[in-house]
Amino acid sequence: MATILFYILGFTALAATLLCITRRNPVHAIIYLVNALFALALLFYLLGAPLVAAWEVIIYAGAIMVLFLFIIMMLELAPDQEIKGPGWLRWGPVLLLSLVLLACTVLLMVADPGSSQEVPAYYASPRTFGYALFKQYALAVEIVSFQLLFAAVGAYYVGRPEQRKKPKGGTP
């Protein structure tokens, strides 16, 4: 059962990623990228890393995608052309991928492969992991936080409205 779910989730992640990079509409591309990230989170959970799966959903599928949508709205990016034809051409692939992810999630909840086993001793608890992250690797965490700050300042700089400069001679 776990092997079948692994291959279904792997195919779903690949299909969503391919649909993401081939879409002209940036909002549609982000929706497909969120589907791919959810599939990766389920893969992490299936492989026995529930904390990484939770971070995948919270950080990448949540916060980073909201940041991408904010930048798209701030830069006022619009699709080049609209898809003509029935609505299922637009919503069919994302609905199919979402239904597959929902079915895999339900299957993982019903037949959880990790619930019958004890937690191995080499798994770190969230407390131990947090202590190592903010004590031993504090410099790396700070460097990443500065990179995010620089990205936010850069997004502000790129998205700010252009101001007209007045000539010094007094005539506009």
Side-chain angles (χ1 to χ4, degrees):
M1 175 78 150
T3 306
I4 294 170
L5 277 176
F6 179 82
Y7 285 118
I8 290 172
L9 288 170
F11 175 77
T12 304
L14 285 175
T17 305
L18 285 174
L19 286 169
C20 172
I21 62 175
T22 58
R23 299 299 103 180
R24 290 194 180 274
N25 188 335
V27 176
H28 291 179
I30 289 199
I31 290 172
Y32 285 119
L33 189 56
V34 167
N35 270 329
L37 292 172
F38 273 121
L40 284 176
L42 288 174
L43 277 171
F44 282 130
Y45 184 79
L46 185 65
L47 293 173
L51 186 62
V52 176
W55 283 350
E56 181 84 21
V57 171
I58 293 168
I59 294 173
Y60 291 111
I64 302 295
M65 292 303 115
V66 168
L67 179 68
F68 284 174
L69 283 174
F70 175 73
I71 290 171
I72 287 171
M73 289 186 297
M74 189 172 65
L75 295 177
E76 297 178 9
L77 298 175
D80 293 341
Q81 58 185 338
E82 201 56 40
I83 296 177
K84 307 250 189 281
W88 65 269
L89 283 177
R90 271 182 267 169
W91 296 107
V94 75
L95 285 177
L96 179 66
L97 288 172
S98 298
L99 287 174
V100 167
L101 286 175
L102 182 65
C104 288
T105 303
V106 168
L107 283 174
L108 275 175
M109 288 170 56
V110 170
D112 186 10
S115 65
S116 62
Q117 304 167 359
E118 282 189 30
V119 178
Y122 58 84
Y123 281 151
S125 68
R127 173 179 282 173
T128 307
F129 185 79
Y131 182 78
L133 186 65
F134 292 111
K135 183 77 169 170
Q136 187 176 359
Y137 300 107
L139 179 63
V141 170
E142 290 301 320
I143 289 172
V144 169
S145 68
F146 275 114
Q147 286 178 337
L148 291 173
L149 174 67
F150 298 152
V153 170
Y156 172 75
Y157 181 76
V158 168
R160 71 181 177 169
E162 298 214 13
Q163 299 174 358
R164 293 185 176 174
K165 294 183 180 179
K166 294 182 181 177
K168 292 184 179 182
T171 58

